[in-house]
Amino acid sequence: MKRTPIVVVAAIFVLGMALLVFGTPRPAPSDVRSATLTVGGENAGLVLVIDRPAAAKDEEDEEKETPQAEEQDILKAAPAQPEEKPGREVIEIENQAGKWRIRKPIDFPASTSDIDRIVEELKSLELTEVPSRSARTRESLMVDDRQGIRVTVNQDGRPAIDIVVGKTEDDRTFIRKHGEDAIWTVSGLRRDDLVRPLDELRDKQIFDVEPSEVVAMTVQRGRSERSFAREGEQWKTAQPD
């Protein structure tokens, strides 16, 4: 009985491994997933809710908010107010007829330019998954329940976006879909835009008039006063009566 030479066996083994390696389809260049979150249509009817960690208060602010002894007796008879989540601040902003208005925690017109910028960034998010789902990673990237900023966008009464926004590094921000463990990165959206003081999100505009409608104005400083009138496209000093 003839024995198969060792060289022949080795050659067959190498050929089999080559077929296995080169004959099997290669996986995609990247194993990470991508996804898109989209909010379509106009802003009218959108409700933006930002649920974020409450800003730390210094001792002076806490003293101002603590009622004095005489006030406490009066407050005891007042109806209980709904409490925020411990350590959280919830801001609700609604768009009605193209204008943004803060609904919670105060009722006040919102800054159109600032809110429009945030919503435009949320309208089309290109997500790239980070290959890690551990609780330690979520905490370090600030997408855990304690540090994360939950941002929801409701469109016509239906939830369109529900994400938890974490830290921003360079040009990317880490986020997580609420209720899921997967971590993603997005560009454009920044955490800094979502932690701005509430006062900065309010509308600072005093008057809502078109410049073409203004025909006269008076500037007063101390005892000095000057009046101006517009003639056509030019402004001239108005003569006192």
Side-chain angles (χ1 to χ4, degrees):
M1 182 177 178
K2 295 182 179 180
R3 295 182 178 180
T4 304
I6 296 177
V7 175
V8 175
V9 175
I12 295 174
F13 175 77
V14 172
L15 178 61
M17 291 299 297
L19 291 174
L20 180 63
V21 172
F22 296 103
T24 303
R26 293 186 178 184
S30 176
D31 290 332
V32 299
R33 295 184 298 160
S34 61
T36 303
L37 298 179
T38 304
V39 178
E42 301 295 329
N43 290 341
L46 291 184
V47 178
L48 171 67
V49 180
I50 303 173
D51 181 347
R52 64 191 189 182
K57 299 179 181 179
D58 54 32
E59 295 181 359
E60 183 177 349
D61 290 336
E62 291 179 354
E63 289 178 0
K64 291 180 181 178
E65 295 181 1
T66 302
Q68 300 300 322
E70 307 89 69
E71 297 176 338
Q72 290 179 355
D73 294 335
I74 300 175
L75 293 175
K76 285 180 181 178
Q81 298 296 321
E83 296 182 358
E84 296 283 353
K85 301 176 186 177
R88 307 287 296 185
E89 179 185 29
V90 179
I91 301 174
E92 181 178 308
I93 306 171
E94 182 180 9
N95 187 298
Q96 291 185 335
K99 293 186 177 181
W100 292 103
R101 189 173 187 89
I102 300 173
R103 293 301 186 188
K104 295 179 182 178
I106 60 174
D107 187 14
F108 200 88
S111 170
T112 299
S113 59
D114 291 324
I115 306 304
D116 273 347
R117 184 176 64 254
I118 294 174
V119 171
E120 288 304 314
E121 292 169 351
L122 290 167
K123 272 192 170 184
S124 184
L125 291 176
E126 298 292 336
L127 281 62
T128 302
E129 188 180 16
V130 176
S132 177
R133 302 188 177 201
S134 68
R136 181 177 297 180
T137 301
R138 292 198 299 273
E139 183 176 356
S140 65
L141 298 179
M142 301 176 69
V143 292
D144 55 320
D145 293 334
R146 181 178 62 86
Q147 304 175 94
I149 302 173
R150 184 178 178 184
V151 178
T152 59
V153 178
N154 295 319
Q155 188 172 35
D156 299 325
R158 299 185 303 271
I161 288 180
D162 191 351
I163 60 176
V164 178
V165 180
K167 69 190 302 184
T168 299
E169 288 185 348
D170 298 327
D171 60 344
R172 63 176 184 169
T173 299
F174 297 93
I175 73 166
R176 174 173 61 87
K177 297 179 184 178
H178 184 258
E180 299 183 10
D181 293 334
I183 302 173
W184 309 74
T185 61
V186 297
S187 59
L189 180 67
R190 301 186 64 84
R191 184 182 177 94
D192 289 347
D193 292 334
L194 303 173
V195 296
R196 296 174 60 189
L198 178 62
D199 186 60
E200 293 186 9
L201 299 178
R202 296 169 59 179
D203 186 10
K204 303 298 193 303
Q205 184 173 351
I206 301 176
F207 301 108
D208 186 12
V209 295
E210 292 293 332
S212 59
E213 298 176 353
V214 180
V215 295
M217 64 179 179
T218 299
V219 180
Q220 184 175 6
R221 181 178 181 183
R223 296 182 179 180
S224 176
E225 180 179 301
R226 298 191 67 178
S227 298
F228 303 87
R230 192 178 67 182
E231 296 181 4
E233 298 297 325
Q234 295 184 343
W235 285 90
K236 296 183 178 181
T237 303
Q239 298 297 327
D241 297 333

